[in-house]
Amino acid sequence: MQDKYIVLDRDGVINVDLFDYVLENKTFEFEKGSIEAIAKLTKKNFKIIIATNQTCINLGLISAEGIKDINDFWIKKVRENNGDILHLEVCPHEKSEDCNCRKPKTGLLESAEKKLNISLKNCFFIGDKLSDLECAVSHGCKPILVRTGYGTMTEADRFPNVTKVFDNLKGAVDWIVD
């Protein structure tokens, strides 16, 4: 059986977006149903890739190691609840740095493909921001918008018309696997 990959944004999809930065474990709060959704994807043999912009690193608010600690913290919670994350890619750059990895550019996805020797073409990409949806379309993924985080604001704007829209990660995952 061929592996099935799915890309998830982090803030606003998996965890509650603080509309600021998650700088410590105690401020990382899962969106309702997101742990269960990740467990369901894992049970259905999806390999989960996280692609997240974390400008707070280059703004000097937290170190790359600090972000790794937060990611290790929540991934451990996911694993304790029968979910798994195959791989995580982080862009530390500010928009002004014009890097290749900051969504909507596709560098995070290209990096994951190279490191894992896989293709993410035609896989689902779930996000809450226009940059997630544009990254998905640019890379040949199927964009899904969730209304959590920035999602309702994104939905009120113009976004790629191929995008499916769901209330949250759980709703999107239920649709994908059922």
Side-chain angles (χ1 to χ4, degrees), residues 7-10 49-54 87-93 99-116 118 120 125 131-132 135 139:
V7 178
L8 307 179
D9 174 45
R10 193 191 82 174
I49 315 264
I50 308 299
T52 180
N53 289 345
Q54 294 294 328
H87 186 73
L88 188 137
E89 288 283 336
V90 175
C91 169
H93 305 106
C99 63
N100 186 42
C101 56
R102 184 178 170 83
K103 295 175 289 181
K105 292 186 180 169
T106 59
L108 293 177
L109 303 182
E110 292 162 19
S111 176
E113 286 179 328
K114 186 179 272 183
K115 288 175 186 169
L116 300 170
I118 61 169
L120 295 173
F125 185 141
S131 59
D132 297 319
C135 177
H139 199 71

Side-chain angles (χ1 to χ4, degrees), residues 9-13 15-23 27-29 31 53-56 59 61 127-130 132 145-155 167:
D9 174 45
R10 193 191 82 174
D11 301 321
V13 176
N15 60 293
V16 174
D17 197 314
L18 304 175
F19 302 104
D20 194 5
Y21 300 103
V22 176
L23 300 176
T27 59
F28 189 98
E29 180 190 342
E31 279 286 354
N53 289 345
Q54 294 294 328
T55 304
C56 51
L59 288 174
L61 301 174
D128 67 319
K129 292 186 178 137
L130 183 59
D132 297 319
L145 175 67
V146 290
R147 293 185 177 109
T148 48
Y150 283 87
T152 54
M153 289 175 267
T154 303
E155 188 178 20
D167 285 340

Side-chain angles (χ1 to χ4, degrees), residues 3-70:
D3 285 330
K4 301 177 284 190
Y5 297 97
I6 188 164
V7 178
L8 307 179
D9 174 45
R10 193 191 82 174
D11 301 321
V13 176
I14 294 169
N15 60 293
V16 174
D17 197 314
L18 304 175
F19 302 104
D20 194 5
Y21 300 103
V22 176
L23 300 176
E24 49 193 357
N25 293 345
K26 70 179 184 192
T27 59
F28 189 98
E29 180 190 342
F30 285 95
E31 279 286 354
K32 187 175 185 314
S34 67
I35 289 182
E36 296 82 357
I38 292 169
K40 189 172 194 174
L41 285 171
T42 302
K43 185 177 180 205
K44 296 288 187 175
N45 299 312
F46 277 86
K47 308 288 188 234
I48 303 168
I49 315 264
I50 308 299
T52 180
N53 289 345
Q54 294 294 328
T55 304
C56 51
I57 297 170
N58 280 16
L59 288 174
L61 301 174
I62 189 171
S63 65
E65 190 58 41
I67 286 292
K68 182 186 179 313
D69 290 345
I70 291 168

